[in-house]
Amino acid sequence: MESRRWKPGSHVLLRVVLNGRVLSAQPHIVVRDTPDVTVLWLPSGTVWMKPTGREEAVKKRLNGEWQLFSDIWNGEGLLRLTEPGRPYSVLVFWTPGMGAVDRWYINLEDPLRRTDLGFDYLDQLLDVVVAGDRKTWRWKDEDEFDDAVRVGLIDRSKALELRTAAKEAIEQIRFSRPPYTDEWRTWRPEAGWTLPELPNGWEIVSEGSRS
Ligand code: MG
């Protein structure tokens, strides 16, 4: 499974899986899947499964109480760059009309795992937002992350590792290091691409991909 690569244009399923249950499921289009980077595109208008109680991430993880409902991805599409083995992905958000990169969003997460349908991962709550011009950055959801550490959902050494990884990612973006170059500023989805859809079995978590 690890060696399998998705061809550009393939439709894949990207899920957040928590304690063997799907926390969110988003179909994406594969832009690039090489040993260096996996790049996925979430087009505007894509239907995805979203959890209830989005603002209560820590509570949800402690008591396992959430339901999924379908929602439509609005605004500009979202590009997601993941270097294999890294505990984060970098999400590229554009301004309306894709005129410019609005922000580079570092999503701390466990490394992506390949599945038959795409990729699974576990989000680690903390995020960093780097400005589109790469000059400034700020932590996002730091309170939530600190709460998760306080109640033991994330242990202190892991929290430190994640913060260290985030700082490395910030430097990579600030200095336009590959794969976070200006290539993406002018990147556009292929004209012939259609909206990806949730595949059959999107809700099934096999033993091998539990976290
Ligand atoms: Mg996050």
Side-chain angles (χ1 to χ4, degrees):
M1 191 80 76
E2 276 310 309
S3 59
R4 181 174 176 192
R5 305 260 162 222
W6 296 96
K7 287 199 176 74
S10 306
H11 290 186
V12 292
L13 179 67
L14 178 75
R15 302 188 299 191
V16 177
V17 176
L18 175 64
N19 301 326
R21 281 175 62 204
V22 175
L23 189 61
S24 81
Q26 295 178 321
H28 279 71
I29 300 174
V30 176
V31 174
R32 189 180 294 174
D33 187 24
T34 69
D36 297 329
V37 69
T38 298
V39 183
L40 304 177
W41 170 243
L42 176 62
S44 183
T46 301
V47 174
W48 65 293
M49 299 306 290
K50 175 179 181 170
T52 49
R54 200 172 170 73
E55 299 72 28
E56 302 162 330
V58 174
K59 232 170 87 184
K60 193 154 52 193
R61 283 174 195 225
L62 283 176
N63 59 25
E65 284 169 16
W66 72 86
Q67 264 108 50
L68 294 173
F69 64 98
S70 66
D71 198 8
I72 296 176
W73 186 264
N74 285 313
E76 297 304 319
L78 181 63
L79 200 66
R80 165 181 265 272
L81 314 178
T82 311
E83 294 180 83
R86 298 281 170 104
Y88 56 82
S89 288
V90 174
L91 282 44
V92 186
F93 286 86
W94 276 269
T95 56
M98 291 183 87
V101 171
D102 185 66
R103 58 197 186 278
W104 305 82
Y105 188 110
I106 303 166
N107 196 56
L108 277 300
E109 60 196 32
D110 286 354
L112 293 188
R113 300 184 302 275
R114 286 172 190 268
T115 68
D116 289 343
L117 296 174
F119 304 89
D120 285 352
Y121 71 97
L122 178 59
D123 191 88
Q124 290 294 348
L125 304 173
L126 185 64
D127 310 291
V128 179
V129 181
V130 181
D133 64 7
R134 306 172 186 269
K135 287 183 179 148
T136 56
W137 64 271
R138 63 179 171 85
W139 296 108
K140 182 175 173 289
D141 297 338
E142 203 175 14
D143 294 356
E144 205 170 67
F145 183 69
D146 289 344
D147 276 352
V149 174
R150 201 172 305 123
V151 300
L153 277 174
I154 298 171
D155 68 44
R156 286 182 191 279
S157 61
K158 177 147 190 178
L160 206 63
E161 276 172 32
L162 289 168
R163 281 179 184 273
T164 304
K167 295 215 167 125
E168 284 166 13
I170 293 164
E171 291 303 287
Q172 302 281 87
I173 294 167
R174 283 185 59 212
F175 295 102
S176 306
R177 295 208 185 101
Y180 315 111
T181 61
D182 282 342
E183 163 190 7
W184 304 110
R185 223 172 54 191
T186 51
W187 177 86
R188 293 295 180 269
E190 305 242 339
W193 282 353
T194 53
L195 287 185
E197 291 175 9
L198 287 165
N200 287 333
W202 65 263
E203 74 285 14
I204 298 166
V205 177
S206 66
E207 279 300 323
S209 72
R210 279 168 189 272
S211 65

